[in-house]
Amino acid sequence: MRTAEVHYGDNGHVDLAVPKGTKLEEITKLQSMVIKQINPRGCQACLSGVHFNIREKLEEVIKVDLDKMAVIKNVAQH
């Protein structure tokens, strides 16, 4: 299953992380779906300030224990 991560911040920015190879057509559909979740009425004046940051998901992800400032072992995702 391919998945996308969608994060919506208080600053009005939407961050979309999509799998490598995602087509622009798919991203456009995803944007439309996200906009409907943010503002179901679709008021263009309200949506004009929504910024989308789109990036491909990283292949390797590490997690860091912030208290110890150390990499947590065995959490790389493929």
Side-chain angles (χ1 to χ4, degrees):
M1 168 179 26
R2 295 180 327 127
T3 61
E5 294 177 10
V6 180
H7 300 271
Y8 181 64
D10 292 336
N11 58 2
H13 289 154
V14 177
D15 294 318
L16 302 176
V18 297
K20 184 176 181 177
T22 301
K23 295 178 181 170
L24 183 59
E25 178 182 329
E26 294 172 305
I27 293 171
T28 302
K29 288 179 183 178
L30 178 60
Q31 283 179 305
S32 177
M33 186 207 68
V34 169
I35 287 291
K36 288 176 185 172
Q37 294 295 315
I38 294 170
N39 187 349
R41 293 185 184 141
C43 169
Q44 290 304 314
C46 297
L47 299 175
S48 65
V50 175
H51 297 279
F52 280 87
N53 299 315
I54 303 167
R55 64 176 175 81
E56 287 186 342
K57 286 185 184 179
L58 301 174
E59 292 290 328
E60 298 287 330
V61 177
I62 63 169
K63 291 187 180 182
V64 176
D65 181 327
L66 293 176
D67 294 328
K68 297 178 182 177
M69 281 299 153
V71 174
I72 300 170
K73 303 283 185 194
N74 300 323
V75 293
Q77 299 174 353
H78 297 283

